[in-house]
Amino acid sequence: MKKILISGATGLVGKKLSRKLYERGYKVEILVRSKSEKTDFKSYVWDYENRFLEEGALDNTYIFIHLAGASISKRWTKNYKKEIYKSRIDSAQFIYEKMLEENIHPEAVISASAIGFYGQVTSEHIFSEDDPPAKDFLGSICRDWEAKVLEFEKLGSRIVRIRTSTVLSEKGGALETLKKPIELNFGAVLGNGQQYFPWIHIDDLVNIYFKAVEDVSMNGAYNASAPDFVTNEILTKKIASHLNKKIFLPNIPKFIIKTILGEMSVLALEGSRVSSQKIENSGFKFNYDNLDKALADVIN
Ligand SMILES: NC(=O)c1ccc[n+]([C@@H]2O[C@H](COP(=O)([O-])OP(=O)(O)OC[C@H]3O[C@@H](n4cnc5c(N)ncnc54)[C@H](OP(=O)(O)O)[C@@H]3O)[C@@H](O)[C@H]2O)c1
């Protein structure tokens, strides 16, 4: 059995991906920061800050999938921004150095990245993988994250970077936050509502990772974003409709959102359109290519 080692495997994406890989015959092993949580797979403790890795973690790694990262949904204080950065970039560097030390050469390293790579830009431009990184906080994080992951090429590995949109899933993630006020009849469109909201259904994302594992022709950066472009206004109204609710309140003005969220308000008030052409050209078919279909699945 081929061993797939996953960091951040206890999270939203990791849980579903681990299960799928296991069901398809892979040996899944995971890196965890603490063994307190019960997991379905053999787990190894790692602490990249103190350079600790439990013995045997890297043995026979066929593919390493790097999903670890502190959530970007908490307020971006100076210290927390450092954690967002280190949990993705320093952690990748640590595993790279350990693999070098232990002479481990995975066939592939597949890493999460985010469409924040391109910045949050509400414009006519549709971003593709050839576009440069944005100069803002998330753009710089994604740029450095991907650059760090590319270092594994020196081990002879194929490198796939999955630039992920906001993941819609049954439980947890952004949809839970978006649903709550609407369920309580406090739902409202944010700002002028014309900012794009790039999204992907969790099952499609898991299938993209799975394809990256099996399809050795996949190499480089791929946008993981559904082909259906929607704005915050469309999203808010569609979520309401799937919950059998109505939006009664007026739009929430930008300045209020900026006051509440600070720098991270950009996530609510701006958004880019991102092309899915490259992943589709590679033969991938979205099961959830429009928002109504995705919401019908994750909400109803
Ligand atoms: N979900 C989305 O909408 C979305 C969109 C774009 C990109 N992504 C990226 O895709 C990856 C997976 O996303 P997800 O939604 O599954 O994330 P998640 O649910 O927040 O899980 C991330 C995992 O990372 C580990 N982690 C958390 N804080 C950490 C820290 N300070 N240092 C090291 N590890 C830490 C945790 O695993 P342990 O507790 O087991 O260590 C956690 O289960 C992330 O890198 C995320 O940035 C997600």
Side-chain angles (χ1 to χ4, degrees):
M1 265 169 128
K2 289 174 172 165
K3 164 172 159 180
I4 306 217
L5 180 68
I6 310 179
S7 73
T10 59
L12 186 77
V13 179
K15 267 192 189 136
K16 270 209 158 179
L17 177 61
S18 315
R19 181 114 318 261
K20 172 148 190 157
L21 290 166
Y22 170 75
E23 284 166 2
R24 295 300 185 94
Y26 290 94
K27 180 178 178 185
V28 174
E29 295 189 353
I30 68 177
L31 298 178
V32 292
R33 288 170 300 158
S34 124
K35 284 211 178 169
S36 55
E37 218 183 305
K38 208 176 146 283
T39 62
D40 294 337
F41 303 101
K42 182 164 175 53
S43 61
Y44 298 89
V45 173
W46 70 323
D47 177 355
Y48 63 89
E49 285 183 293
N50 293 304
R51 304 195 58 77
F52 174 78
L53 182 63
E54 201 175 323
E55 212 178 309
L58 304 182
D59 290 358
N60 304 311
T61 299
Y62 169 63
I63 287 179
F64 172 50
I65 301 183
H66 184 44
L67 301 177
S71 166
I72 61 158
S73 312
K74 287 192 202 159
R75 204 175 169 85
W76 295 354
T77 61
K78 207 169 156 202
N79 273 344
Y80 193 63
K81 276 172 142 183
K82 280 189 197 149
E83 192 172 337
I84 290 177
Y85 187 95
K86 289 194 302 184
S87 58
R88 292 169 169 78
I89 292 128
D90 294 11
S91 61
Q93 172 73 21
F94 174 59
I95 294 298
Y96 169 71
E97 286 170 9
K98 281 283 174 190
M99 284 189 172
L100 201 61
E101 205 177 292
E102 296 184 23
N103 204 18
I104 305 287
H105 299 271
E107 187 276 315
V109 173
I110 302 166
S111 177
S113 178
I115 52 126
F117 183 91
Y118 307 112
Q120 282 70 41
V121 188
T122 310
S123 74
E124 285 312 300
H125 186 65
I126 299 174
F127 288 91
S128 72
E129 289 80 352
D130 294 332
D131 277 303
K135 291 192 167 64
D136 61 6
F137 171 58
L138 288 183
S140 312
I141 295 271
C142 293
R143 178 200 63 208
D144 291 0
W145 191 4
E146 294 194 18
K148 192 53 70 189
V149 169
L150 279 170
E151 287 201 23
F152 285 84
E153 269 182 345
K154 295 184 206 150
L155 301 176
S157 308
R158 174 172 66 88
I159 312 294
V160 184
R161 293 158 280 148
I162 311 284
R163 292 185 185 153
T164 311
S165 284
T166 303
V167 180
L168 301 182
S169 67
E170 302 84 352
K171 218 171 157 245
L175 190 59
E176 203 137 298
T177 315
L178 292 164
K179 264 174 20 188
K180 249 181 225 158
I182 299 174
E183 282 168 335
L184 299 169
N185 296 318
F186 287 123
V189 171
L190 306 180
N192 67 13
Q194 297 314 298
Q195 64 277 35
Y196 290 106
F197 180 87
W199 62 275
I200 185 165
H201 187 290
I202 181 113
D203 292 351
D204 279 332
L205 179 61
V206 164
N207 287 341
I208 288 176
Y209 274 97
F210 186 71
K211 180 172 163 58
V213 164
E214 299 227 309
D215 180 354
V216 293
S217 72
M218 271 182 79
N219 208 325
Y222 293 83
N223 293 335
S225 195
D228 186 17
F229 301 134
V230 298
T231 61
N232 172 269
E233 180 173 357
I234 293 173
L235 172 82
T236 309
K237 291 184 174 165
K238 281 191 188 285
I239 294 175
S241 139
H242 281 269
L243 290 168
N244 294 318
K245 294 279 184 183
K246 284 221 155 30
I247 301 295
F248 299 107
L249 296 178
N251 294 19
I252 305 178
K254 275 189 179 186
F255 78 91
I256 294 187
I257 296 167
K258 281 186 182 163
T259 309
I260 299 171
L261 296 179
E263 188 184 350
M264 69 186 284
S265 63
V266 70
L267 296 177
L269 295 173
E270 300 294 338
S272 306
R273 284 189 296 177
V274 173
S275 168
S276 56
Q277 207 61 58
K278 184 175 175 190
I279 189 71
E280 291 187 280
N281 287 348
S282 80
F284 182 79
K285 295 228 172 340
F286 284 88
N287 284 325
Y288 298 93
D289 56 359
N290 77 73
L291 185 64
D292 270 320
K293 195 173 173 194
L295 290 178
D297 183 66
V298 295
I299 291 183
N300 300 340

